């Protein structure tokens, strides 16, 4: 049983116009095996929260804590966080020319586990994972994300999650840009890892469609840098019908 | 190719330059004006960086050269007055002319058969006195060989390397420049290919304050193929300049030119000027040249200019591409977010980018030792 706690988190970013406060006291606790969905308007700070958990250097922490099983995550470097079991499926995965997917996956796996995976089982694991995500085996010889379509990039993120087996995964709009088949395939992947490894999930999305496949235990409404309301799956349906107006007016 | 400040330039048309074939040739230093950055050939350099290689008088370099002895290769020093010297190519610039005039002896490497192992020439310098060397490599008809020129130690060396690849011969030539940080090496390569000949030409440039290689391949007869590859890595204040030229003077020949470079550190500077000339006679030509550079830090600069000049339309294909991109914070973050630490992330990117070309030499020991050199260079600024 693992626990990821975000306590009163404040985050700012440096802009040309000066420091801009984006997160304003976020409180959120995720236990192993739980699925939390975050929904909120554009620009409300969802990706900022995701990046802050992963440790992107662009964001400065102004207040609060992030704890993983009581350990101070904010003290860890980006790679240490990944090694501790945190994973971020990015909204916009970057291209890395010159590094093949297979080399990248093996290097990441070795880094996370602290030892190189046994070659034979590893090759099979990669092949099986790619197959279940309906990825052409040719992708392993291509450079990381280079020339991948939007949907292919998202599948590649989930492929990494499947192979690296994190304790907690933050999925930042993994469903955006996926066609109906890909949405199902990717959702199945998330559910599989969630079940097999008792992974905790923080799912950032704009659409209730993905929630038909990945059933959240909790739904959080994210507005203006903090959580405005929390509830069960029924809250997602309500948001879809009513939008975010009432939260923004209240502000 | 991507969003990360990478400028891409890739198409099948050409950027004409002055007629490449008309560049003046001479073995006499006085036929070339004093070096000046207003001259196109030297525009990226300061004459001072040559550390004296543009002088009239240079020292001999014979004593610093050693080589193995294996069946199928004849090696000896020859008076440079011999008629074979200059028969493959003659200097097109002042430094090459100075080296030509001052190397009174020429190292001849003649491959007569199919070699069972690579033939290795070791150049191990120990002084910064400006010096001259002339090497003449001849691959006899039907021979098959790998020849390695390995430069290390300390040196300020001006050099001409003539490479004759006879009919049906196949030569895999690899030069490794891994000099001390204060060294200078300016080398002109002249390769001439006979009928159905095959040359794989690889330049690996890593150590030295100034490394400049101008390899020219001339197709003198039909049906031949050249692969010209180059790998370079410039750290702070290093200047590495590569100017490959393929002269398609005969029909039905194929050339592939691929150079890749990485730069890391303040004032790391690389220059790549890739020229291809397809003459009227060269029907059925198939050519492609590519240069890619990876900037690992701010303050580094990569110049890259492909030139393709086509005098006949009857060709199979002609293209070029050039791209210089940076390894940026977003890429670093992505790799780190997958558990890979910063140094390993840089190594992963640079090794993946550069080693692929070195592996084509089929020389695992060189790939291995250069991997170590690369690791060390990555740790430097
Ligand atoms: N480097 C930056 N410079 C200026 N503003 C920034 C920067 N980074 C983030 N912001 C701003 O912070 C706010 C939150 O951005 P964030 O990407 O977290 O939103 P989001 O909730 O993920 O939105 P979306 O639903 O569109 O993905 C936005 O207004 C954004 O413009
Ligand atoms: Mg976002």
């Amino acid at each position: 049983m693992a626990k990821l706690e975000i306590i009163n988190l404040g985050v700012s970013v440096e802009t040309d116009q000066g420091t801009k406060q984006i997160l304003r006291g976020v409180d959120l606790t995720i236990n192993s095996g739980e699925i939390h969905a975050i929904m909120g308007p554009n620009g409300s700070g969802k990706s900022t929260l995701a990046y802050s958990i992963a440790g992107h250097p662009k964001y400065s922490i102004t207040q609060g804590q992030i704890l993983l099983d009581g350990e101070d995550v904010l003290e860890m470097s980006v790679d240490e966080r990944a090694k501790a079991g945190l994973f971020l499926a990015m909204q916009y995965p970057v291209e890395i020319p010159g590094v093949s997917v297979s080399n990248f996956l093996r290097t990441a796996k070795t880094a996370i586990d602290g030892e190189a995976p046994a070659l034979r089982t590893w090759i099979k694991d990669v092949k099986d994972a790619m197959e279940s995500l309906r990825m052409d085996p040719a992708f392993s010889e291509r450079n990381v994300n280079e020339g991948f379509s939007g949907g292919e990039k998202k599948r590649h993120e989930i492929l990494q999650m499947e192979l690296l087996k994190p304790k907690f995964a933050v999925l930042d709009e993994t469903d955006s840009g996926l066609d109906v088949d890909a949405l199902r395939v990717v959702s199945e992947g998330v559910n599989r890892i969630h079940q097999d490894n008792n992974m905790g999930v923080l799912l950032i999305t704009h659409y209730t469609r993905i929630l038909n496949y990945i059933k959240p235990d909790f739904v959080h409404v994210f507005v203006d840098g903090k959580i405005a309301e929390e509830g069960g799956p029924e809250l997602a349906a309500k948001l879809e019908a009513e939008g975010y107006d009432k939260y923004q007016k209240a502000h | 190719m991507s969003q990360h400040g990478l400028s891409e330039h890739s198409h099948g048309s050409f950027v004409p330059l002055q007629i490449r074939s008309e560049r003046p040739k001479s073995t006499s230093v006085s036929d070339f004006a004093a070096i000046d950055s207003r001259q196109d050939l030297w525009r990226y350099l300061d004459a001072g960086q040559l550390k004296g290689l543009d002088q009239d008088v240079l020292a001999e370099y014979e004593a610093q050269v050693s080589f193995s002895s294996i069946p199928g290769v004849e090696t000896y020093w020859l008076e440079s007055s011999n008629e074979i010297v200059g028969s493959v190519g003659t200097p097109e610039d002042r430094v090459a002319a100075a080296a030509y005039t001052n190397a009174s002896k020429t190292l001849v490497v003649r491959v007569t058969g199919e070699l069972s192992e690579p033939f290795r020439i070791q150049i191990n310098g120990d002084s910064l006195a400006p010096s001259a060397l002339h090497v003449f490599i001849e691959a006899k008809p039907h021979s098959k060989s790998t020849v390695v020129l390995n430069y290390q130690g300390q040196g300020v060396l001006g050099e001409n390397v003539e490479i004759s690849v006879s009919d049906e011969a196949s030569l895999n030539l690899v030069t490794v420049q891994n000099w001390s940080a204060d060294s200078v090496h300016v080398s002109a390569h002249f390769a001439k290919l006979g009928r159905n000949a095959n040359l794989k030409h690889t330049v690996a440039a890593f150590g030295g304050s100034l490394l400049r290689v101008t390899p020219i391949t001339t197709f003198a007869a039909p049906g031949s193929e050249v692969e010209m590859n180059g790998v370079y890595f410039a750290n702070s204040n290093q200047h590495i300049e590569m100017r490959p030229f393929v002269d398609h003077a005969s029909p039905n020949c194929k050339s592939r030119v691929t150079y890749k470079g990485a730069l890391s550190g303040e004032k790391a500077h690389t220059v790549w000027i890739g020229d291809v000339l397809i003459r009227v006679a060269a029907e059925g030509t198939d050519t492609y040249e590519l240069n890619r550079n990876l900037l690992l830090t701010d303050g580094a600069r990569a110049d890259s200019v492909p030139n393709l000049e086509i005098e006949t339309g009857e060709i199979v294909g002609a293209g070029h591409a050039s791209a210089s991109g940076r390894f940026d914070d977003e890429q670093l973050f992505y790799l780190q977010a997958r558990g890979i630490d910063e140094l390993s992330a840089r190594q992963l990117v640079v090794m993946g980018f550069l080693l692929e070309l070195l592996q084509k030499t089929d020389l695992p020991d060189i790939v291995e030792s250069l991997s170590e050199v690369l690791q060390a260079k990555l740790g430097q600024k």
Side-chain angles (χ1 to χ4, degrees), chain A residues 51 54-57 78-79 82-83 87-88 90 93-99 103-104 107-108 111-112 144-146 156-157 160 164, chain B residues 1-4 6 260 292 294 327-342 344-345 348-353:
Chain A
Y51 277 127
H56 195 294
V78 177
D79 53 295
K83 286 177 192 130
F87 183 90
L88 168 61
M90 296 189 206
V94 299
E95 303 188 358
I96 307 186
V99 178
N103 190 9
F104 164 65
T107 308
I112 297 272
V144 173
N145 294 323
E146 198 177 61
H156 181 228
E157 295 292 287
Q160 295 165 50
L164 299 180
Chain B
M1 213 152 258
S2 78
Q3 60 269 43
H4 297 289
L6 197 103
K260 284 178 156 189
R292 296 192 74 176
L294 185 62
F327 179 57
D328 65 19
D329 292 344
E330 295 302 323
Q331 293 172 330
L332 182 61
F333 172 72
Y334 189 79
L335 294 171
Q336 286 181 301
R338 300 306 180 241
I340 303 168
D341 65 78
E342 176 167 356
S344 305
L348 184 67
V349 167
V350 175
M351 295 293 176
F353 183 68

Side-chain angles (χ1 to χ4, degrees), chain A residues 29-36 194 198-202 217-218:
Chain A
T29 298
I30 308 172
N31 292 297
S32 298
E34 290 177 358
I35 297 179
H36 294 246
H194 167 244
N198 202 31
M199 179 178 74
V201 179
L202 184 60
D217 303 299
F218 306 93

